[in-house]
Each structure stands twice: as structure tokens, then as C-alpha cells.
Amino acid sequence: MPLVSMNYFLPQAKKEGFAVGQFNMNNLEYVQAITEAGKEERSPLIFGASEGAIRYMGLNNVVALARVAAEESGLPIALHLDHGSSFEIVMKCIRAGFSSVMFDGSHYPLEENIRLTKKVVEAAHAVGVSVEGELGTIGGVEDDLDVSEEDATLANPEEAIRFWEETQVDALAIAVGTAHGMYKGEPKIRYDIIEKVSQNIGVPIVLHGGSGVPDESIKKSISLGVGKINVNTENQVASTRVVRELLENNPDMIDPRKYLGPAREAIKETVKAKMRLFGSSGKA
Ligand SMILES: [Zn+2]
């Protein structure tokens, strides 16, 4: 099937209490691994492509890889711009074939974030593309984003509810204590914020920085209204560990298929485990 908007599965996720994983693509092997995992789990999925990944792979390659994956697997797959930084990049991605976009205006004052996000929603919805907005500042490092612990600010529930009412985004990322990248300790998730916001908006909440969050915390977050969870770091850790080990143990290995193939397998297993944990297995 063709790439779908997140509205193909997010309303069902909110209603039935599961979450759909966004798995970031970094190269061909990631796309193959994530798609295979989806096929084996019969799970809907979201390919996340950051601006950094788009620069690395090329915009048209990103779209082509995702399209082929959706067509050949028959799975409901959304291709989603991760942390889009401007109206211009969002439009560029939609025109190239993205079925979903995130506009991250979280670093703007609330009024400006609402104004800019609304503009993105109007344009995207006109062509059937779903939009994720963000409120509060999620800490950690991811591609072009680098937010120190002091600068990370939790989302204010009243502001989050108003943000959704005015922008009508299809999914809302709010800062609730998770961070991009690896955790040093265990993240302190503010379940009260998730619960309060979720009860007052009509769409699922998005949890960024899903890597390394304990399974029980993930399950609790989903039960309170999280319907989309972003995972990237755990796949990077799992695949790089395999490559490092193989190359260290086999100094003569030069065929990329010999080390990227096993790395792909490691990503697939990681993604499958997440799909089961998120409850999206069997929902495609
Ligand atoms: Zn993020």
C-alpha cells in the first residue's frame, strides 16, 4: 500500500491503548530491518527521518526507500519528518512525498509556537498529511538538537491543552522528563502531566527519547495516553555493538554485507521487542 498519514492508526491507538513506534532511518539497513520487524509482528510503523538523516541519505532516497517498504510489505507505514525546524523544510518534505511531519516550534514562546504550528497544520491537512507539534523542551542530544539539562523544561498541562485546541495537531509531543540519547540514570517521567493532558485532548501524546526507558514506565505511559514512541538510540547501540565486535574480531573483513547484515538483524530484533512492548503487534 502507499505511505499513510499517522491518522491511519493513531486514533485506533488512542482508543485501544497501544502505541505505534517511530523508528528513525539512518540508512538502507535500518529501513529493511524496521520493515521486516513490522512484517513479522504485523505492526503498523512510522519511519522517522530527521533533517540530519535527510542530508545524509538525500531527500528523494529517503522517500523512495520508505515507499518501496510500504508497497512491498503491505503494512500501514507513515514517513514522518522528525523535528522539522521550519515551514520551508516541512513543505519540501511534503512535496517530496512524506505522509507526516513534525513541526518543532518548542523553542519559541507559546504564542509564536501556536501561530507557526497552525500554519503548518493548515497546509499539511489540506493534502492529507498528519502533523505532530511539540510543547516544552525535551532534553538531550539528537542530530541538530542539543538541549542541556538546565534548558530542558517540562510542558505546562494547561498550555498543552490550549496548544492542541488551537493548532489541531494529530499528535502532541510534550516534555515529561524523557530525553534524547542515552540516560545516565533512570528518567523521571511525570505521569501526572501525561494523564492530565491526555484526558483533555483528542489525540495521542508522543514520547520522545524512548530508548532506555524501563519497560514498566513505557507501559504505564501508554496506559495514560501515550500513543507514539520515538526510538533511535537503542537501534544505534544494538547495531554498532555488532559491527564493532565483528570488525575487532575479524581484521580482514572488508565486505560491508558481512558486518551490516548482522547489524541489520540486531536492529530488527530490537524493533520487534519494542513493537511487542508498545502493544502494536498484530494491529496492522
Ligand atoms: Zn525527538
Side-chain angles (χ1 to χ4, degrees):
M1 61 194 291
L3 290 167
V4 296
S5 120
M6 295 199 297
N7 288 325
Y8 192 93
F9 40 67
L10 286 191
Q12 184 197 359
K14 175 142 180 143
K15 209 170 96 207
E16 296 179 15
F18 65 91
V20 179
Q22 171 191 305
F23 305 100
N24 283 57
M25 49 203 272
N26 293 289
N27 59 22
L28 169 68
E29 282 75 12
Y30 273 77
V31 175
Q32 293 174 317
I34 296 160
T35 309
E36 277 305 308
K39 273 162 72 179
E40 289 178 21
E41 291 296 320
R42 299 304 312 158
S43 169
L45 63 92
I46 300 158
F47 283 128
S50 65
E51 290 179 26
I54 291 170
R55 281 196 299 274
Y56 178 78
M57 286 187 274
L59 182 60
N60 293 326
N61 286 331
V62 167
V63 174
L65 288 171
R67 270 193 184 137
V68 170
E71 276 161 20
E72 292 190 347
S73 68
L75 291 172
I77 296 179
L79 174 59
H80 183 73
L81 170 65
D82 194 18
H83 290 284
S85 62
S86 67
F87 183 78
E88 288 70 27
I89 178 79
V90 163
M91 289 303 115
K92 223 172 146 179
C93 288
I94 292 176
R95 185 148 195 226
F98 277 58
S99 60
S100 189
V101 292
M102 173 184 191
F103 174 71
D104 180 358
S106 61
H107 47 288
Y108 292 107
L110 179 65
E111 301 302 327
E112 187 69 353
N113 189 2
I114 290 177
R115 188 182 72 78
L116 293 168
T117 306
K118 253 172 116 167
K119 193 171 147 192
V120 167
V121 170
E122 272 171 30
H125 281 184
V127 289
V129 168
S130 51
V131 180
E132 172 183 342
E134 179 176 323
L135 208 71
T137 317
I138 296 159
V141 182
E142 187 179 47
D143 279 357
D144 302 346
L145 300 172
D146 186 349
V147 178
S148 70
E149 234 168 274
E150 306 84 71
D151 290 337
T153 47
L154 295 173
N156 170 311
E158 276 78 27
E159 286 182 2
I161 294 160
R162 195 187 134 209
F163 180 86
W164 176 72
E165 284 169 348
E166 294 195 20
T167 62
Q168 292 294 304
V169 288
D170 306 289
L172 180 57
I174 51 175
V176 292
T178 55
H180 295 120
M182 291 305 276
Y183 294 99
K184 288 188 196 90
E186 214 173 274
K188 279 197 190 66
I189 298 180
R190 286 287 301 272
Y191 299 108
D192 58 317
I193 299 180
I194 296 177
E195 190 171 22
K196 171 132 200 235
V197 175
S198 176
Q199 284 172 349
N200 289 286
I201 67 173
V203 299
I205 286 168
V206 184
L207 197 67
H208 284 241
S211 291
V213 178
D215 289 1
E216 285 317 307
S217 309
I218 292 282
K219 280 187 191 158
K220 189 168 177 188
S221 304
I222 294 171
S223 76
L224 294 173
V226 164
K228 172 177 180 276
I229 301 175
N230 295 4
V231 176
N232 187 24
T233 307
E234 265 183 72
N235 285 330
Q236 296 186 339
V237 170
S239 56
T240 303
R241 183 182 295 141
V242 169
V243 173
R244 189 169 283 131
E245 246 176 53
L246 277 168
L247 294 182
E248 269 172 10
N249 296 334
N250 304 279
D252 297 330
M253 191 180 268
I254 54 156
D255 182 345
R257 293 167 298 184
K258 293 258 162 55
Y259 51 87
L260 293 180
R264 182 173 62 190
E265 202 57 28
I267 298 169
K268 187 179 94 176
E269 290 310 317
T270 307
V271 171
K272 280 174 72 176
K274 293 294 174 200
M275 287 169 165
R276 281 185 223 135
L277 174 65
F278 299 167
S280 67
S281 295
K283 301 290 187 184

